[in-house]
Amino acid sequence: MEAMVNTVKGWRENPVKFARSHGVSLSSEAEDTDTEKGIHILIIEGFLIYNYKPLIEAYDKCFYISIPYEECKERRSTRTYTVPDPPDLFDGHVWPMYLKHRKEMENNCDRIDYVDGMTSKDDIYSKVYESIQNSMLNTS
């Protein structure tokens, strides 16, 4: 997690330089944009990204897509793993650990926008996009 924090800090200091040094292709607009004036967005994704306070401090926006137990169990059951899940792994380990980490997350970060994972991908995208756009308009 410490390495992730350092990586995010490096990106925040100079997103264009960071992208170049990591072999990320940039649009010509991004290449020509002054780092101070340009708009650069870094998306950090993962199921424990709100459980480490030093990382939370780097976020401008926080989103959490949630689904109910039944849907989560159904989706998990359709995955194919090289080594299949043992019987009762979901109820005995996966779901209890999810609940534990979600409670920690809720205690660590009070500015999460919760998104209903049962809505369409387009609806999720629209909600997140609108929220980010509104934040950018309010800070300019």
Side-chain angles (χ1 to χ4, degrees), residues 49-53 55-57 59-64 102-114:
I49 61 170
Y50 301 127
N51 291 64
Y52 189 63
K53 288 186 181 186
L55 192 55
I56 294 168
E57 294 167 5
Y59 303 145
D60 294 314
K61 297 289 295 176
C62 301
F63 298 97
Y64 187 84
R102 181 165 175 167
K103 184 168 180 56
E104 286 176 13
M105 172 194 78
E106 290 168 346
N107 291 336
N108 287 335
C109 188
D110 60 358
R111 52 194 176 90
I112 297 172
D113 289 338
Y114 290 89

Side-chain angles (χ1 to χ4, degrees), residues 28-29 31 40 43 57 60 72 102 106 115 118 128 135:
S28 57
E29 285 179 359
E31 288 281 358
H40 303 275
I43 298 172
E57 294 167 5
D60 294 314
C72 187
R102 181 165 175 167
E106 290 168 346
V115 180
M118 297 300 287
V128 171
S135 290

Side-chain angles (χ1 to χ4, degrees), residues 6 35 45 51 57 63 78 81 119-121 129 134 138:
N6 290 333
T35 303
E45 175 279 322
N51 291 64
E57 294 167 5
F63 298 97
T78 63
Y81 297 100
T119 60
S120 72
K121 289 178 186 177
Y129 180 78
N134 287 337
N138 291 331

Side-chain angles (χ1 to χ4, degrees), residues 23-86:
V24 175
S25 299
L26 298 171
S27 68
S28 57
E29 285 179 359
E31 288 281 358
D32 297 336
T33 302
D34 178 357
T35 303
E36 297 297 317
K37 296 177 186 170
I39 296 171
H40 303 275
I41 297 174
L42 176 65
I43 298 172
I44 302 170
E45 175 279 322
F47 68 94
L48 294 175
I49 61 170
Y50 301 127
N51 291 64
Y52 189 63
K53 288 186 181 186
L55 192 55
I56 294 168
E57 294 167 5
Y59 303 145
D60 294 314
K61 297 289 295 176
C62 301
F63 298 97
Y64 187 84
I65 302 171
S66 61
I67 57 174
Y69 164 86
E70 295 81 12
E71 182 68 17
C72 187
K73 187 171 183 174
E74 174 62 27
R75 291 182 188 182
R76 175 83 183 208
S77 72
T78 63
R79 292 183 184 169
T80 305
Y81 297 100
T82 305
V83 178
D85 282 351

